Amino acid sequence: MTPEQLVSMAKEAMTHAYAPYSGYQVGAALLCADGSVYCGCNIENASFTPTVCAERTAFFKALYDGHRDFTAIAVCGGKDGVITSQFPPCGVCRQVMREFCEDDFILYLIGPEGFETVTLSQILPYSFSAKTHMSQPREEGR
Ligand code: THU
């Protein structure tokens, strides 16, 4: 799986968005350590708060299927599905990534012309994580 392939899967995932309120369609493609890919889109709600982001949709699908090791995620978004700028993950999604990913987890932030490659530690410095801040870190594989 090349970065370019993951990027194109994220762009396809955008088209699955349910975003009648904001009009922003967001797509994510999550690469697991075993090479499998899980895609996600944002799913909005009339009550707003239940809205879930594309990144978390992808993560939760993969987690449900038993995946715990992740390599990279490609993300894109834009009004009516048109990418005019990068669409970096929100703070809640970054914290979900922190739970399961290492500092070197890669993010491909897709823009109108190509993509930028960043790591989780770059976009979430001084983070709170189970490994360093909880007395009973999660068991490996659980
Ligand atoms: N959104 C995502 O899907 N991912 C993010 O990281 C940021 C925001 C969605 C949520 C909502 O449906 C729309 O973008 C506008 O906030």
Side-chain angles (χ1 to χ4, degrees), residues 19 22 24 26 42-44 51-55 87-90 93:
S22 76
Y24 281 91
V26 188
N42 55 327
I43 302 166
E44 299 187 344
T51 293
V52 67
C53 295
E55 298 90 325
F87 217 80
C90 77
C93 289

Side-chain angles (χ1 to χ4, degrees), residues 1 30-37 67 69 71:
M1 175 65 53
L30 174 64
L31 177 62
C32 304
D34 70 353
S36 53
V37 177
H67 294 280
D69 296 312
T71 306

Side-chain angles (χ1 to χ4, degrees), residues 6 11 24 26 28 37 41 74 123 128 132-133 135 139:
L6 203 63
K11 287 180 177 173
Y24 281 91
V26 188
V37 177
C41 63
I123 65 160
F128 179 85
T132 47
H133 300 103
S135 56
E139 281 179 48

